[in-house]
Amino acid sequence: MSGGTPPLRVLVAHNRYQVRGGEDAAVARDLAALDRAGCAVEAVFLDNGAIESGLSRLRAAVAAPQAPEGIARVMAAARRFAPDVIHVHNFFPLLSPGIHAAARAAGYATVQTLHNYRLLCANAFLMRDGAPCELCVAGSPYQAVRFACYRGSRAGSLAVARMIDHHRRAGTWRRDVDRLIALTPFARDRFIAAGLPADKIRIRPNGLPDPGLPADGPRQGLLYVGRLSPEKGVTTLAEAATRAGARVTVIGEGPLAQALAGHPGLDLKGALPAASVRAAMARACALVVPSLWYEGLPMVVAEAFAAGTPVVASRIGALAGLVTDGVTGLLAAPGDPSDLAGALGRITGDPAGAAAMGREARAVYERAWHEDVTTRALLDIYRDAIAARAAEAAPARTGT
């Protein structure tokens, strides 16, 4: 902040996950970036670690439409901290979208980052039976009950569908939220298709601190970084590696780790420290992201681009827009090991072409994902939300 402008006061509210993941890391990066930008920042964290049993998960899901205890915690912090804006990240299940109505009633501007599709879809992924599913985008969220979309439980799916339906009917997203943040143009389109107000949605990707310019020199080997689970397409990757005669270094853990152990095309390293992952990114010829679902904004793509590493990704959802085929990487049909094998062969067989794509990937990072760029965009969204809240409050103050 400069020129005598008082620093923005930002209250961040986030329901942490039981297993720390990309959203938790993104929130931590935003908090650090806002602090570096001179904002006064306070965070209220609710923690899913307290939800240990299936029964407690069900109880939390049933309470999710309102979650009064979580809302009370955030509002108590707001009264003490007096923020200019309240920024909500994950709201499920201990906070609830109802926080926006409470904040609006108290006169605070609010912003909601849409990290996933939870306000449309009971499982938050727009995925069912290993493939994208959009039944609930424009249709009834109660279709999730038929397919037990939330953790394989019809009772749990009913509870989450009730939350989605309640806030859709109550107009929470149209009336109570000043600005909504989508991570990609693809995600924005899905939310608009579901009826969210287009004029309130802004596109702002999660930011990433600059790891420094990539070192010159030869690259070798393919790399996968992420969860070893079906929606990530790792079984497709395994078969593609065999067909391409390639070997892929795999960093991550998950339910498919045991099934993939010993596969001739994969070298499983398990979970590694962040510094080791960055070093592996900097050495790799390409990162592979073979997902089968609509990824939100996989930060491994941003990390690869920052390292000057091209990405071979599935042509699906946001990935098809994040990776420009032949420019910053290559695209392959999701779930098609033959097509993916062809892409792996092309990128490993053309080191000069891969290096050129890596240079362009780095340029894209600097334009779109560098922390300075994304923090400026976030501050602009905050100011926009504050102005919108003030404009709405003005008629009430003047009695018109």
Side-chain angles (χ1 to χ4, degrees):
M1 303 294 175
S2 61
T5 303
L8 284 180
R9 298 181 65 80
V10 183
L11 181 66
V12 172
H14 177 57
N15 193 149
R16 284 171 167 155
Y17 289 81
Q18 284 182 318
V19 178
R20 180 179 168 87
E23 287 184 39
D24 295 319
V27 172
R29 283 193 296 267
D30 270 1
L31 288 169
L34 289 169
D35 181 67
R36 285 191 284 270
C39 295
V41 187
E42 184 166 320
V44 178
F45 292 116
L46 297 99
D47 198 334
N48 280 1
I51 305 173
E52 297 178 347
S53 67
L55 181 58
S56 60
R57 282 195 296 269
L58 180 58
R59 285 173 175 164
V62 169
Q66 295 302 336
E69 292 182 8
I71 291 174
R73 279 188 57 190
V74 175
M75 294 310 298
R79 288 189 293 272
R80 182 184 68 255
F81 182 65
D84 297 302
V85 61
I86 297 175
H87 186 172
V88 181
H89 289 271
N90 180 39
F91 54 73
F92 182 79
L94 300 178
L95 183 53
S96 148
I99 181 59
H100 293 289
R104 179 174 179 268
Y108 300 113
T110 70
V111 171
Q112 171 74 59
T113 293
L114 305 168
H115 289 281
N116 56 43
Y117 299 100
R118 179 74 70 189
L119 60 84
L120 316 178
C121 169
N123 68 25
F125 300 136
L126 291 182
M127 184 177 183
R128 180 171 55 82
D129 295 335
C133 172
E134 297 195 16
L135 286 176
C136 295
V137 170
S140 169
Y142 290 104
Q143 295 173 99
V145 180
R146 176 161 57 117
F147 299 108
C149 292
Y150 179 71
R151 296 180 176 268
S153 165
R154 284 191 169 84
S157 298
L158 175 62
V160 182
R162 283 181 59 249
M163 178 195 73
I164 296 169
D165 186 53
H166 171 82
H167 290 287
R168 182 181 288 181
R169 291 176 182 274
T172 296
W173 309 113
R174 290 186 169 274
R175 183 191 61 241
D176 297 331
V177 186
D178 294 294
R179 291 297 177 263
L180 297 151
I181 298 177
L183 303 182
T184 66
F186 176 85
R188 181 179 186 271
D189 289 346
R190 302 332 305 134
F191 290 119
I192 292 173
L196 270 68
D199 61 325
K200 288 191 174 185
I201 303 177
R202 303 292 183 267
I203 299 171
R204 182 258 178 183
N206 296 323
L208 186 70
D210 193 343
L213 291 173
D216 293 329
R219 302 285 193 101
Q220 62 179 3
L222 298 164
L223 178 67
Y224 171 89
V225 179
R227 183 168 167 78
L228 306 184
S229 53
E231 75 278 4
K232 293 292 189 178
V234 288
T235 55
T236 301
L237 174 60
E239 187 173 345
T242 298
R243 294 189 184 196
R247 189 163 176 83
V248 182
T249 298
V250 175
I251 299 175
E253 297 177 325
L256 294 180
Q258 185 172 354
L260 295 172
H263 190 283
L266 306 179
D267 182 12
L268 272 62
K269 300 294 187 181
L272 294 179
S276 299
V277 175
R278 287 193 296 270
M281 289 271 193
R283 293 191 301 266
C285 168
L287 177 79
V288 190
V289 186
S291 294
L292 305 179
W293 74 290
Y294 294 160
E295 293 273 4
L297 179 65
M299 290 308 290
V300 290
V301 175
E303 291 164 1
F305 280 19
T309 304
V311 175
V312 178
S314 296
R315 188 182 288 103
I316 186 173
L319 288 172
L322 296 174
V323 177
T324 303
D325 195 35
V327 179
T328 57
L330 298 175
L331 295 171
D336 186 336
S338 179
D339 200 29
L340 181 56
L344 299 182
R346 289 195 301 278
I347 206 160
T348 55
D350 182 10
M357 287 189 279
R359 288 191 292 273
E360 184 56 32
R362 171 68 193 190
V364 169
Y365 160 74
E366 292 175 355
R367 292 195 301 268
W369 281 328
H370 193 288
E371 181 185 281
D372 292 347
V373 176
T374 58
T375 302
R376 283 196 297 270
L378 183 56
L379 293 176
D380 286 345
I381 292 169
Y382 287 163
R383 295 186 186 102
D384 198 18
I386 293 165
R389 173 61 64 218
E392 181 182 295
R397 288 196 298 269
T398 59
T400 60

